[in-house]
Amino acid sequence: LFCGHNRGTFIIKGKEFRQISDVTGGFAVKKFTSDGEEYLLQSTYSMLVVYKKIAGAWSYFKKVKGFIEPSRFLEIDHNNTVWLGHAVKGIYKLRLSEDLDTLASLSKYGKKDGFPSDFNIRVFKIEDRIVFTTGSILYTYDDLEHKIIPYDILNRQLNGFENATIISNIGE
């Protein structure tokens, strides 16, 4: 169990409570693979942090340089593209460098890209597809056109619940 806290990030295992990072305000933690190795990426109050499994235990690996924004909502898609939801600045789409040290690319999406506003856009994943909630309808990213579009199929199926703001994955 990972615990993001004002004093850093901790792992809770049984009765053990071990600090693995002193970066304040840990939010979401998502697993990804790079060069055949498993890592974790964490969004925090101020930056992105990477963890690596060392001797069977998750340990702090590095801070990602070039991104200094609080981002509560984090998802990583099938291409290892990182999606972050910022409370007032919209959505960030970024790629990490091969050494996971810095940003290789950064794009920002908001009202100018089809969302109703830049505020409170949250990012989730449904069956490996990135989904954005806005409080009115759901959106997704069109990989072919490289743009944000309403997720029409899902909005129709939700029949009144398309204004959801939080999506929780409960497995099968």
Side-chain angles (χ1 to χ4, degrees), residues 5-17:
H5 189 273
N6 286 341
R7 293 184 185 161
T9 297
F10 300 82
I11 289 182
I12 302 168
K13 188 173 183 180
K15 294 182 180 183
E16 181 185 338
F17 194 74

Side-chain angles (χ1 to χ4, degrees), residues 64-77:
V64 177
K65 298 177 196 118
F67 187 81
I68 303 175
E69 293 285 350
S71 299
R72 181 174 166 202
F73 296 94
L74 162 71
E75 288 294 344
I76 303 173
D77 71 15

Side-chain angles (χ1 to χ4, degrees), residues 73-134:
F73 296 94
L74 162 71
E75 288 294 344
I76 303 173
D77 71 15
H78 61 284
N79 292 319
N80 272 355
T81 301
V82 178
W83 296 89
L84 297 160
H86 189 283
V88 297
K89 294 184 179 179
I91 293 292
Y92 290 99
K93 173 189 169 194
L94 55 96
R95 301 237 355 130
L96 301 180
S97 60
E98 286 187 33
D99 62 4
L100 310 177
D101 200 34
T102 59
L103 299 185
S105 68
L106 173 69
S107 303
K108 188 172 166 286
Y109 297 89
K111 186 173 182 175
K112 67 177 177 46
D113 302 292
F115 286 119
S117 81
D118 292 341
F119 298 98
N120 294 318
I121 304 170
R122 299 172 178 192
V123 58
F124 299 94
K125 194 162 34 172
I126 298 176
E127 295 182 350
D128 289 330
R129 183 164 190 99
I130 297 298
V131 177
F132 308 101
T133 66
T134 63

